[in-house]
Amino acid sequence: MAFFFFYFFFLLTLSSPSSSSSSSNSLTYIVHVDHEAKPSIFPTHRHWYTSSLASLTSSTPSIIHTYDTVFHGFSARLTSQDASHLLDHPHVISVIPEQVRHLHTTRSPEFLGLRSTDKAGLLEESDFGSDLVIGVIDTGIWPERPSFDDRGLGPVPLKWKGQCIASQDFPESACNRKLVGARFFCGGYEATNGKMNETTEFRSPRDSDGHGTHTASISAGRYVFPASTLGYARGVAAGMAPKARLAAYKVCWNSGCYDSDILAAFDTAVADGVDVISLSVGGVVVPYYLDAIAIGAFGAIDRGIFVSASAGNGGPGALTVTNVAPWMTTVGAGTIDRDFPANVKLGNGKMISGVSVYGGPGLDPGRMYPLVYGGSLLGGDGYSSSLCLEGSLDPNLVKGKIVLCDRGINSRATKGEIVRKNGGLGMIIANGVFDGEGLVADCHVLPATSVGASGGDEIRRYISESSKSRSSKHPTATIVFKGTRLGIRPAPVVASFSARGPNPETPEILKPDVIAPGLNILAAWPDRIGPSGVSSDNRRTEFNILSGTSMACPHVSGLAALLKAAHPDWSPAAIRSALMTTAYRVDNRGDPMMDESTGNTSSVMDYGSGHVHPTKAMDPGLVYDITPYDYINFLCNSNYTGTNIVTITRRQADCDGARRAGHVGNLNYPSFSVVFQQYGESKMSTHFIRTVTNVGDSDSVYEIKIRPPRGTTVTVEPEKLSFRRVGQKLSFVVRVKTTEVKLSPGATNVQTGHIVWSDGKRNVTSPLVVTLQQPL
């Protein structure tokens, strides 16, 4: 085949290789090779790849992984010179530098309306997802947990081709009719870091972190009663698809999750026969042809596999959303109607709201304790002690006191361990200004609670004023733990940490797509890890309460399995469309959803199409379907080169035809977003072409309802869609006109609205975002 030139972007932050594993100037690269090009003289692709590497100038590197399903090629440790030389090989299409990713770290089924006692509904229609396999790419799994019991399940689906990789600490019997497969991928991790320390990590699918066990049980954990964490959140624990099968693919280790291993997990999971892939891992946003997750996910959806990915925990700032490729479903996080209040009572009588999951010996009821702020303590540098970092606190000043620590740098639970080691009796963690008022309940190792930014300011002010007072009163406080509280209003609220749009790579594709429960979620937990995650925590619990878009993502993965079981003919895009167009944007008071970080009304940049509504998603009426070839046209209209597109899709593209047919916003997505650059034109306009498929009733008529963004004129043609049969497709055009607004250079103006197709019974709702941007 013809040689394709590939331009390198060395803009990625990569971890430094250890001297024990490779030379200091080498990195791991993923090499894309023409899948039709293997010479017949080589028995396997691996032999051919090894031969190709033998011609490099440096000592011949060893191959880490080979890929044959979602991608074709291999990964290896290379110098930049060797990587450049590989591009001269006639069958090498591209060479991609590896990224290191990181984890995006019960009542939610009931909150979502999934009740096991219902005689009809999504759970019943899908038989609780019993024939579907969810592949969880994460930190592995703790298979002995009751959430992964196979009682009452039928035989493993005949289509399943996966394996249970046994080792000294993970017997083959760890797998069953529930956990049908378990594998691990550490080649990329060890290529960079040297051989793993098996005293702290398991060289097996077994989970030494807890994150993977937690996310797996959220997506498909069995019903378990009783369940709680240290006495909190007592009740029945259940995943979204309680009878769905699970396959664990361990790719995350102590120093992170490496692209070469993640791509190997995608490659294997698709070959194994999973129906859904759940990925609560992410990193920086790069072009899709440099993104191993985007490449692996495309290969999955190309085989009809739904891919759900976490949006990231970079909120509440804008442009923080990750995993933004349009073929993935990107999930942000919301709250549920359950809370764990632990309030701070100050010596002046004021009460500051806080949250905590602390189950150890408490503070003496009615007693007030001396209160100090880490940043005011003498003997430290102020900044380090304000954050309660290791070595920053003076035991003589902390002993017997409650310490106020600022949030940031080290983990919240680690701050508590440091305070405890230095003799502190309790701790208050205060949000910074950027964190706002969003609170996360943690399993602390001492009596502790978290308060919002305004509460932290009030406590610091009280400490300062009391310390300056001439009276003999010193600042005091106590923490009042109130256990578990249900029926919280408002809920849902967009979680403060949940990453926000706009989409940094393609602003014409609104991301995140939806939000799902992600704050204070109860799920299964490994046996050898304390609930705080701190190494000195010797407490053990079968369940733990964690927060993050990591927890929101597997909710959608499990729901996708249920929808796939109820509608086997639906594509991944149809399933996502059903979740998006039926999502809601109001809380349990009937008011617009709020943003936890500010207390103000949230926006589509925070929640995408809204909060998932599983019951309505089962019967959405219409869906916006997308084929792999539609995504190729999208990439053409994104001005990707032929080489870029082949790297992602393994297909050649006719971009001339795609570019004549439309623009990047014409991908048949269930949301609408346009960005107008104001270059002095007073009037601007565009159009969207969409096609909807009838999955509701035959002989149905849908009429359009429009709520245009402020300052815009929106028309839809035709205004009525008349369907004669189920499966019929009809198209429509949305025209958007707007006028220039006065903006300073570099500023933007974002206005949002909606269009709704309604047959009188179903409302098929799509957000419409118009962004005006003033060039610099």
Side-chain angles (χ1 to χ4, degrees):
M1 60 174 283
F3 167 70
F4 293 93
F5 183 76
F6 178 87
Y7 180 70
F8 279 95
F9 286 82
F10 292 104
L11 55 111
L12 308 179
T13 302
L14 299 160
S15 65
S16 300
S18 68
S19 58
S20 62
S21 62
S22 61
S23 60
S24 60
N25 64 342
S26 66
L27 299 171
T28 297
Y29 290 85
I30 298 169
V31 181
H32 186 197
V33 181
D34 178 9
H35 71 284
E36 297 178 345
K38 182 178 75 68
S40 59
I41 61 172
F42 294 104
T44 68
H45 283 108
R46 178 179 283 272
H47 284 88
W48 178 38
Y49 301 151
T50 301
S51 172
S52 302
L53 292 174
S55 62
L56 299 179
T57 57
S58 65
S59 59
T60 303
S62 60
I63 289 173
I64 299 170
H65 295 294
T66 60
Y67 312 102
D68 292 303
T69 307
V70 301
F71 187 78
H72 195 269
F74 62 94
S75 52
R77 199 80 182 168
L78 304 170
T79 65
S80 58
Q81 184 180 15
D82 285 343
S84 181
H85 284 163
L86 265 182
L87 285 169
D88 294 330
H89 193 289
H91 299 304
V92 170
I93 296 172
S94 58
V95 182
I96 305 168
E98 178 172 68
Q99 288 191 71
V100 184
R101 315 290 182 136
H102 298 282
L103 300 165
H104 288 152
T105 292
T106 242
R107 182 176 170 80
S108 54
E110 184 178 348
F111 183 71
L112 290 170
L114 298 175
R115 296 178 177 85
S116 60
T117 55
D118 289 349
K119 298 303 181 185
L122 185 53
L123 284 174
E124 187 68 24
E125 288 286 331
S126 63
D127 189 26
F128 300 77
S130 64
D131 288 331
L132 278 292
V133 181
I134 301 174
V136 181
I137 299 178
D138 211 295
T139 66
I141 196 163
W142 197 270
E144 293 83 6
R145 281 296 175 243
S147 297
F148 312 126
D149 192 289
D150 67 353
R151 67 191 181 281
L153 290 180
V156 174
L158 292 174
K159 65 176 183 178
W160 179 247
K161 301 180 182 67
Q163 291 180 285
C164 190
I165 302 300
S167 69
Q168 184 177 355
D169 55 65
F170 199 95
E172 194 171 353
S173 60
C175 291
N176 55 25
R177 289 172 298 175
K178 176 67 173 178
L179 180 62
V180 296
R183 300 176 184 263
F184 66 99
F185 304 86
C186 59
Y189 164 59
E190 291 189 319
T192 295
N193 297 279
K195 190 174 181 180
M196 77 172 66
N197 180 354
E198 294 187 45
T199 64
T200 59
E201 298 190 86
F202 298 110
R203 183 183 288 279
S204 77
R206 186 171 292 279
D207 187 1
S208 60
D209 177 272
H211 191 275
T213 300
H214 203 268
T215 56
S217 66
I218 291 171
S219 65
R222 302 297 302 271
Y223 290 102
V224 180
F225 177 83
S228 72
T229 299
L230 308 177
Y232 287 82
R234 291 185 184 274
V236 179
M240 296 296 99
K243 289 186 182 180
R245 319 306 172 110
L246 282 165
Y249 299 89
K250 182 177 178 179
V251 300
C252 295
W253 307 87
N254 282 350
S255 66
C257 322
Y258 291 75
D259 270 1
S260 54
D261 295 332
I262 293 172
L263 189 57
F266 267 105
D267 204 59
T268 305
V270 173
D272 285 348
V274 301
D275 300 284
V276 172
I277 290 177
S278 186
L279 182 80
S280 293
V281 172
V284 298
V285 175
V286 295
Y288 305 129
Y289 57 87
L290 290 175
D291 186 344
I293 290 177
I295 293 168
F298 187 92
I301 67 100
D302 199 16
R303 303 289 187 95
I305 298 165
F306 182 93
V307 179
S308 175
S310 51
N313 297 337
L319 286 165
T320 51
V321 64
T322 66
N323 292 326
V324 296
W327 43 88
M328 294 189 285
T329 299
T330 310
V331 188
T335 68
I336 60 175
D337 61 344
R338 180 180 65 197
D339 206 354
F340 309 107
N343 301 330
V344 177
K345 183 179 180 182
L346 299 176
N348 61 8
K350 288 189 177 179
M351 195 74 79
I352 310 296
S353 296
V355 297
S356 178
V357 179
Y358 173 69
L363 300 172
D364 294 338
R367 179 182 169 188
M368 302 297 287
Y369 294 83
L371 173 66
V372 295
Y373 172 44
S376 300
L377 295 175
L378 299 176
D381 65 7
Y383 176 71
S384 297
S385 57
S386 71
L387 295 164
C388 298
L389 302 182
E390 186 70 55
S392 69
L393 300 180
D394 184 344
N396 296 318
L397 301 175
V398 169
K399 187 175 180 180
K401 298 180 176 69
I402 293 175
V403 181
L404 175 67
C405 304
D406 292 338
R407 182 173 170 179
I409 306 297
N410 57 347
S411 76
R412 296 181 295 273
T414 299
K415 295 178 191 292
E417 172 64 5
I418 292 168
V419 169
R420 185 175 73 167
K421 281 197 311 184
N422 285 277
L425 294 180
M427 178 183 66
I428 303 164
I429 299 176
N431 281 359
V433 173
F434 183 77
D435 302 307
E437 302 307 310
L439 299 179
V440 176
D442 297 298
C443 295
H444 292 288
V445 296
L446 82 170
T449 190
S450 294
V451 301
S454 59
D457 288 342
E458 186 160 352
I459 296 170
R460 278 187 288 268
R461 189 162 49 246
Y462 163 68
I463 293 172
S464 176
E465 291 172 354
S466 298
S467 300
K468 293 177 183 176
S469 173
R470 294 182 179 180
S471 69
S472 59
K473 289 187 177 180
H474 295 289
T476 59
T478 190
I479 303 172
V480 182
F481 297 94
K482 296 190 173 183
T484 304
R485 186 174 57 164
L486 302 177
I488 298 297
R489 298 164 74 91
V493 170
V494 178
S496 179
F497 57 77
S498 186
R500 317 297 170 96
N503 182 336
E505 179 63 16
T506 312
E508 294 83 2
I509 302 296
L510 184 64
K511 292 284 184 175
D513 293 306
V514 291
I515 64 170
L519 184 76
N520 301 334
I521 304 301
L522 179 80
W525 192 247
D527 193 39
R528 298 187 193 174
I529 305 166
S532 68
V534 175
S535 59
S536 62
D537 187 356
N538 295 318
R539 297 171 297 178
R540 296 295 178 259
T541 178
E542 287 193 359
F543 295 89
N544 202 3
I545 294 169
L546 297 182
S547 299
T549 56
S550 281
M551 285 65 246
C553 166
H555 279 88
V556 168
S557 306
L559 295 178
L562 295 179
L563 290 170
K564 183 71 174 175
H567 301 284
D569 57 327
W570 282 10
S571 69
I575 293 171
R576 176 179 56 202
S577 175
L579 289 166
M580 290 175 65
T581 63
T582 59
Y584 59 92
R585 298 166 301 284
V586 296
D587 58 35
N588 52 7
R589 304 172 303 180
D591 295 330
M593 264 195 302
M594 293 172 59
D595 180 346
E596 186 189 35
S597 68
T598 62
N600 298 326
T601 301
S602 57
S603 76
V604 295
M605 292 300 177
D606 306 329
Y607 55 67
S609 291
H611 192 284
V612 291
H613 193 310
T615 303
K616 287 188 176 180
M618 186 176 69
D619 183 23
L622 306 175
V623 294
Y624 293 78
D625 210 351
I626 305 175
T627 70
Y629 289 98
D630 295 326
Y631 291 122
I632 291 173
N633 290 340
F634 159 81
L635 293 169
C636 287
N637 288 318
S638 300
N639 293 321
Y640 277 29
T641 67
T643 304
N644 299 155
I645 295 171
V646 169
T647 297
I648 300 164
T649 68
R650 302 208 302 174
R651 288 183 171 92
Q652 301 290 343
D654 174 15
C655 282
D656 290 340
R659 288 167 183 155
R660 283 196 301 271
H663 55 83
V664 68
N666 271 345
L667 181 66
N668 201 42
Y669 219 71
S671 56
F672 300 81
S673 176
V674 60
V675 180
F676 290 116
Q677 299 287 342
Q678 296 192 153
Y679 289 109
E681 297 181 15
S682 60
K683 295 182 179 180
M684 293 155 285
S685 65
T686 192
H687 71 280
F688 302 94
I689 302 171
R690 292 290 191 270
T691 301
V692 286
T693 304
N694 180 26
V695 295
D697 302 326
S698 57
D699 297 317
S700 55
V701 177
Y702 287 81
E703 296 186 1
I704 195 69
K705 300 176 183 177
I706 303 171
R707 185 172 73 79
R710 182 181 303 171
T712 67
T713 301
V714 179
T715 59
V716 177
E717 301 171 3
E719 296 181 347
K720 184 182 295 185
L721 299 175
S722 299
F723 295 92
R724 297 185 304 278
R725 57 181 173 80
V726 175
Q728 184 180 356
K729 297 177 182 289
L730 292 176
S731 299
F732 61 94
V733 178
V734 179
R735 301 187 189 279
V736 179
K737 298 180 181 179
T738 190
T739 55
E740 182 181 23
V741 298
K742 190 171 183 179
L743 293 171
S744 57
T748 60
N749 176 276
V750 180
Q751 299 295 334
T752 63
H754 291 89
I755 69 166
V756 183
W757 288 105
S758 178
D759 66 349
K761 180 169 65 172
R762 308 171 186 86
N763 291 317
V764 185
T765 305
S766 295
L768 173 58
V769 182
V770 175
T771 302
L772 301 178
Q773 202 164 61
Q774 188 66 37
L776 289 170

